[in-house]
């Protein structure tokens, strides 16, 4: 495995884990509802926003993530089938990295090489507490949404509010996720993170933007969720283009 692949992929997974996820309010959010009205009061808004991510995962969807820090930009585009856990993920870090996830394997491609372009990882051999295994379980991710403490309506389903990183860490569902968030949030200069969120008429989260204020400058994050219920093409690469990951690769994952 190319060693440059691990930090690029794990960096992107850290960004995804930080951006979105479940919260302690998940149990009260139905996962099979056909529709949900927008919150009618300011008091209802934080819970509705936290639950909106879960509502977005009731059917297939596509997700676009953009992270900007100074003159650097990272983009991630994915198609997700929540019912099976299958997904595709195309990233620019700025180097391109692609990933295809099936029920039993993870295929990763960074660039063309003299060998086969896709590395195949056995999902059963991934470290349960590793960022890759966590990142593949979209429903179990914990992130800044877990720390939403206030939100005000801004019209057309839009809300502005504040998230508390410490509360987001507390809402994480495992010690490993807590550690990931704690490491991500330790660069913050402030104890709160401003955000903007948009819910559609079904109560689904369609847009989340937030900014990290760090000693090195601001980091702008944007996540768009769309194409709910539309067919997604998630197909494993041909066997002729894949090679099994070396045993040492699992040290990273």
């Amino acid at each position: 495995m190319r060693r440059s692949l691990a930090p690029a992929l794990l960096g992107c997974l850290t960004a995804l884990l930080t951006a979105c996820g479940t919260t302690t309010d998940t149990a009260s959010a139905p996962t099979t509802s056909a529709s949900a009205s927008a919150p009618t009061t300011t008091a209802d808004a934080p819970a509705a926003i936290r639950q909106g991510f879960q509502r977005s995962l009731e059917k297939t969807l596509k997700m676009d993530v953009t992270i900007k820090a100074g003159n650097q930009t990272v983009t991630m585009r994915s198609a997700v089938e929540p019912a099976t856990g299958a997904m595709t993920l195309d990233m620019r870090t700025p180097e391109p990295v692609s990933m295809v996830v099936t029920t039993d394997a993870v295929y990763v491609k960074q660039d063309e090489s003299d060998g086969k372009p896709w590395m195949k990882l056995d999902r059963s051999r991934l470290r349960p507490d590793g960022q890759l295994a966590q990142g593949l379980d979209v429903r179990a991710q914990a992130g800044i949404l877990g720390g939403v403490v206030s939100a005000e309506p801004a019209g057309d389903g839009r809300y502005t509010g504040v998230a508390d990183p410490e509360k987001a860490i507390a809402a994480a569902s495992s010690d490993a996720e807590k550690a990931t968030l704690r490491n991500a949030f330790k660069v913050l200069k402030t104890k709160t993170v401003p955000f903007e969120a948009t819910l559609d008429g079904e109560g689904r989260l369609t847009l989340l933007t937030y900014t990290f204020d760090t000693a090195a400058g601001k980091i702008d994050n944007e996540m768009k969720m769309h194409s709910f219920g539309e067919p997604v093409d998630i197909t494993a690469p041909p066997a002729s283009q894949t090679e099994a990951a070396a045993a040492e690769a699992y040290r990273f994952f």
Side-chain angles (χ1 to χ4, degrees):
M1 181 187 73
R2 306 175 190 84
R3 288 189 179 274
S4 60
L5 176 59
L9 181 57
L10 295 181
C12 287
L13 290 169
T14 298
L16 284 172
L17 287 168
T18 305
C20 54
T22 63
T23 72
T24 52
D25 289 331
T26 302
S28 63
T31 58
T32 57
S33 62
S35 63
S37 58
T40 56
T41 69
T42 298
D44 295 334
I49 292 169
R50 292 194 298 266
Q51 294 166 2
F53 181 70
Q54 293 301 307
R55 295 190 186 279
S56 298
L57 298 179
E58 292 176 359
K59 300 178 181 179
T60 57
L61 72 148
K62 293 182 180 179
M63 185 185 303
D64 304 330
V65 176
T66 302
I67 302 169
K68 296 181 179 180
N71 60 357
Q72 298 293 319
T73 300
V74 174
T75 61
M76 289 168 272
R77 305 288 180 264
S78 61
V80 185
E81 191 176 71
T84 64
M87 71 175 74
T88 63
L89 183 61
D90 292 306
M91 303 168 281
R92 289 193 175 274
T93 64
E95 296 300 319
V97 179
S98 295
M99 183 167 67
V100 176
V101 181
T102 63
T103 55
D104 58 358
V106 180
Y107 301 87
V108 185
K109 175 183 178 182
Q110 183 173 30
D111 53 35
E112 298 296 339
S113 66
D114 295 335
K116 297 178 180 180
W118 291 89
M119 177 183 68
K120 179 181 180 181
L121 290 156
D122 184 342
R123 290 189 69 169
S124 67
R125 296 181 62 184
L126 298 178
R127 291 187 290 111
D129 61 344
Q131 290 183 13
L132 182 54
Q134 292 179 42
L136 297 181
D137 186 1
V138 180
R139 289 188 183 279
Q141 292 177 9
I144 197 65
L145 284 176
V148 172
V149 293
S150 66
E152 296 287 341
D156 298 325
R158 296 181 297 113
Y159 295 84
T160 59
V162 172
D164 182 333
E166 290 300 321
K167 290 185 181 296
I169 293 171
S173 60
S174 72
D175 289 342
E177 290 172 12
K178 292 179 190 293
T180 296
L181 294 178
R182 190 172 290 110
N183 287 334
F185 295 149
K186 68 182 180 182
V187 300
L188 295 177
K189 290 170 54 179
T190 60
K191 295 183 178 181
T192 58
V193 175
F195 74 88
E196 294 187 12
T198 300
L199 303 179
D200 67 9
E202 306 260 335
R204 299 173 299 206
L205 182 71
T206 58
L207 176 66
L208 174 68
T209 63
Y210 58 97
T211 299
F212 285 166
D213 189 4
T214 77
K218 294 185 181 297
I219 302 175
D220 296 319
N221 303 266
E222 178 185 81
M223 180 181 69
K224 296 179 179 179
M225 304 176 73
H226 58 94
S227 304
F228 303 111
E230 296 182 6
V232 293
D233 182 12
I234 304 174
T235 306
S240 61
Q241 297 182 23
T242 68
E243 61 181 348
E248 68 171 15
Y250 292 93
R251 292 192 300 112
F252 296 95
F253 304 112

